[in-house]
Amino acid sequence: MMKNLFVIIFSMFSFVIFSLDFITSDGETDPLPCGIDTSDDPALWYNKSNPESSLILGTNKIKGGEGGLGVYSLEGKEISYFKVGRLNNVDIHGNFALASNRDNDSISVFHINERYGVSYKKDISLPVSPYGLCVHRDNLLLPLQNGTILQYKIKLSTKKQEMSFVSVIDLKKEVSIQDDVLIKERVYKELKAEDELHRLEEKMKERFQLEACVSDKEKDEAYVAMEKMGI
């Protein structure tokens, strides 16, 4: 459902009126079992044989052992919940779902069967703590908090699920000196507003933090968000 939000910007000599479109939901999923809104990233599995039986998958990144993956019908009713750890992002590759697990630094793998639903398969260990995640063709992209992307080749079947390292993509190198100055100013202002300047050194190291990513398979492109800068 689309609505319009009219915004008025005043300056010393004039004002401008422009319209922003925003989207409101027509429905929502059942609440998480933990009772707290710590949901993060969704993914949609499309059932080719029976589209009405497609599934919504959503991560729960709560700490304390309650994190995991929720599976819902298109009407938002919970079908199952897998308490496998603090999951951050999730994406679909064929009949598999892959999720970044921050509790044990791994990728949690789930299999999706048209008849029997979703089942948990295994965790594949990583050398770093995962954050963002998306699947691009046969590659898994893992945007990290340090501004780099790890690329893995994935091979998934019901009997075996494997990942092999391909490369590191360093997006920090794409940031100009001028843009880096702006990012540092933004980090400083945000911490000052929250009265947390004691965390300045820590947050400056994370100023190139990446997370969300999405794949356009038709154009063979991937889009990654640098949270303090843009896409």
Side-chain angles (χ1 to χ4, degrees), residues 13-70:
F13 303 106
S14 62
F15 66 90
V16 177
I17 301 178
F18 62 94
S19 173
L20 296 177
D21 289 329
F22 65 95
I23 301 173
T24 58
S25 64
D26 293 321
E28 61 182 23
T29 60
D30 288 337
L32 291 170
C34 62
I36 304 174
D37 183 12
T38 47
S39 57
D40 191 80
D41 191 46
L44 178 67
W45 175 76
Y46 180 67
N47 188 327
K48 296 179 181 179
S49 301
N50 185 9
E52 293 183 355
S53 297
S54 299
L55 299 174
I56 300 169
L57 283 67
T59 61
N60 181 5
K61 61 180 181 180
I62 191 172
K63 298 179 180 180
E66 297 294 320
L69 184 77

Side-chain angles (χ1 to χ4, degrees), residues 95-96 111-113 119 121-122 155-161:
N95 287 334
F96 287 87
H111 181 246
I112 307 170
N113 182 284
S119 60
K121 299 299 289 185
K122 64 188 292 187
K155 295 182 180 179
L156 303 174
S157 69
T158 54
K159 294 184 178 180
K160 185 178 292 187
Q161 303 85 42

Side-chain angles (χ1 to χ4, degrees), residues 88-89 100 102 129-133 143-145 209-211 227:
N88 207 72
N89 283 21
S100 50
R102 298 173 66 187
S129 181
Y131 202 56
L133 172 152
L144 303 178
Q145 291 176 298
Q209 177 172 304
L210 309 173
E211 183 180 5
E227 297 190 346

